[in-house]
Amino acid sequence: MNLFRAECSSKARLDGKTAVITGGNVGIGKYTAQDFYVRGGRVILACRNLDKANQAVADINQACKELENLGTLLIAKLDLASLKSVRDCAARLLKNEKRIDLLINNAGVMMCPKSLTKDGFEMQIGTNHLGHFLFTMLLLPRICQSTPARIVNVSSLAHYGYGGRIDLADLNWENKRYFSLISYIQSKLANILFTKELDRKLKENGISGVNTYCLHPGCVNTDLINNLEASFCIMDWFFRYVVRKFLLTPQQGAQTTIYCAVDEKCANESGLYYTSCSVATPSSAALNKEDARGLWDLSWKLVGLDKNYNPFVDPSK
């Protein structure tokens, strides 16, 4: 038995469309890549480990060898824990890709021991939010030129687990005791706040045809669960032999991501939170507009974007 099971029923094709998926080499990212490939899309797996990315491409090709009207699979080097890598990857994509119709911000780390990204950010907020924030901002002008386009941010039901607001005064855990679970929760809360503020700013800047989505994929049996087990050794048996039996497969867990990316039923929705292929209500902290604006401004500063940079480009004006 699995929890939160749903299925995207859309048969929409992605012929002529380009999708970029961060962390497309494992778990739900890998199955999302396979789904888009079957739909005929040009699918770019943006991954830190190129060996694993190449293996993922081989696996997908093998799984789809009997099918017709497939798309194209490509690989791009991307380490979200390095702003230089993010900038380099974005620059290559902007040089090589005439359009980006779908951006799936899927990659992430979960409950890892306290560590820092290459730029000195706490690893979970740095990877799960700040890396994706910069990546999205750099690709946004091309996305705006590829309408209708969608940006999908993979969050988590875990964002409900922290009773307070996001701690913008100490986002990097420099002045308080570190708790990996709370850090993870805050990074997933940041994904939703970012999605909502991006939607607001797109509308404020007169950009139509670019929709934003965030989602809980379900409780999925992926490599991320290994960090959770390592963090709570006493609970290892419980997670290994009990919890895993109730987890979704990566294929099942990818369904809400796929729904947000391709389904016609949500084509006119933007800035919302989804679970089980349906709109859901996030926590009150995720609906705090002041925090969404504050996180945007702080993220802009932390990733080093120029104050005069304008990612909101409407090609019709």
Side-chain angles (χ1 to χ4, degrees):
M1 182 178 71
N2 295 122
L3 302 177
F4 309 114
R5 183 171 181 176
E7 185 174 354
C8 175
S9 60
S10 173
K11 305 301 181 184
R13 296 283 301 175
L14 294 177
D15 303 283
K17 296 184 180 295
T18 298
V20 177
I21 306 173
T22 69
N25 59 314
V26 295
I28 63 175
K30 181 179 176 181
Y31 188 81
T32 301
Q34 179 173 319
D35 180 273
F36 292 176
Y37 177 57
V38 171
R39 295 175 189 268
R42 179 179 173 86
V43 187
I44 301 171
L45 287 68
C47 308
R48 179 178 59 85
N49 189 314
L50 296 184
D51 290 337
K52 290 184 178 180
N54 280 305
Q55 183 59 55
V57 168
D59 292 344
I60 294 171
N61 280 322
Q62 177 64 25
C64 301
K65 65 180 180 179
E66 303 297 332
L67 302 179
E68 298 180 348
N69 300 317
L70 299 170
T72 304
L73 294 170
L74 301 169
I75 294 171
K77 172 71 173 178
L78 172 65
D79 181 358
L80 288 161
S82 164
L83 297 184
K84 181 181 185 304
S85 176
V86 172
R87 291 181 181 277
D88 289 346
C89 182
R92 290 192 298 271
L93 291 175
L94 292 173
K95 178 181 179 180
N96 297 328
E97 303 302 324
K98 295 182 179 179
R99 58 185 305 116
I100 297 176
D101 304 88
L102 295 171
L103 172 60
I104 313 298
N105 289 323
N106 163 82
V109 293
M110 178 181 177
M111 293 178 62
C112 53
K114 187 175 183 181
S115 56
L116 302 177
T117 69
K118 293 180 174 63
D119 303 280
F121 304 128
E122 187 275 319
M123 184 61 71
Q124 296 190 93
I125 197 70
T127 302
N128 297 350
H129 169 63
L130 291 173
H132 280 126
F133 177 87
L134 178 60
F135 196 51
T136 304
M137 290 301 97
L138 295 176
L139 296 181
L140 193 56
R142 186 58 42 83
I143 295 171
C144 289
Q145 295 168 4
S146 308
T147 56
R150 304 188 191 187
I151 299 169
V152 181
N153 297 318
V154 179
S155 181
S156 172
L157 183 72
H159 84 277
Y160 287 99
Y162 183 64
R165 296 161 59 179
I166 192 166
D167 189 358
L168 298 179
D170 192 14
L171 199 64
N172 284 304
W173 294 81
E174 296 171 325
N175 302 310
K176 58 181 179 286
R177 182 182 176 187
Y178 181 75
F179 292 95
S180 62
L181 174 58
I182 297 177
S183 173
Y184 176 71
I185 289 170
Q186 291 233 331
S187 73
K188 296 290 98 179
L189 174 58
N191 294 153
I192 304 177
L193 292 169
F194 171 46
T195 300
K196 290 186 170 296
E197 184 65 8
L198 177 56
D199 175 62
R200 189 188 72 80
K201 288 189 177 293
L202 284 163
K203 293 173 179 174
E204 181 182 79
N205 284 272
I207 304 297
S208 60
V210 179
N211 293 351
T212 71
Y213 307 80
C214 57
L215 64 103
H216 168 57
C219 300
V220 185
N221 190 358
T222 70
D223 289 346
L224 287 181
I225 199 71
N226 293 327
N227 284 328
L228 188 150
E229 292 173 354
S231 299
F232 296 89
C233 295
I234 297 176
M235 300 294 289
D236 180 75
W237 181 91
F238 179 70
F239 281 102
R240 188 178 302 277
Y241 296 106
V242 179
V243 172
R244 280 188 185 274
K245 295 180 180 180
F246 295 92
L247 299 180
L248 301 178
T249 66
Q251 178 177 350
Q252 294 166 343
Q255 294 304 307
T256 304
T257 299
I258 296 166
Y259 174 84
C260 291
V262 307
D263 203 289
E264 301 86 348
K265 292 189 289 293
C266 61
N268 296 318
E269 299 171 352
S270 186
L272 302 179
Y273 172 76
Y274 297 77
T275 186
S276 297
C277 297
S278 299
V279 175
T281 302
S283 69
S284 59
L287 297 173
N288 190 305
K289 295 180 180 180
E290 179 183 352
D291 284 351
R293 289 190 292 268
L295 177 65
W296 180 284
D297 293 341
L298 178 59
S299 301
W300 192 281
K301 179 180 178 180
L302 290 174
V303 302
L305 284 168
D306 190 285
K307 64 179 181 180
N308 296 317
Y309 174 62
N310 179 19
F312 302 99
V313 179
D314 186 341
S316 66
K317 296 181 179 180

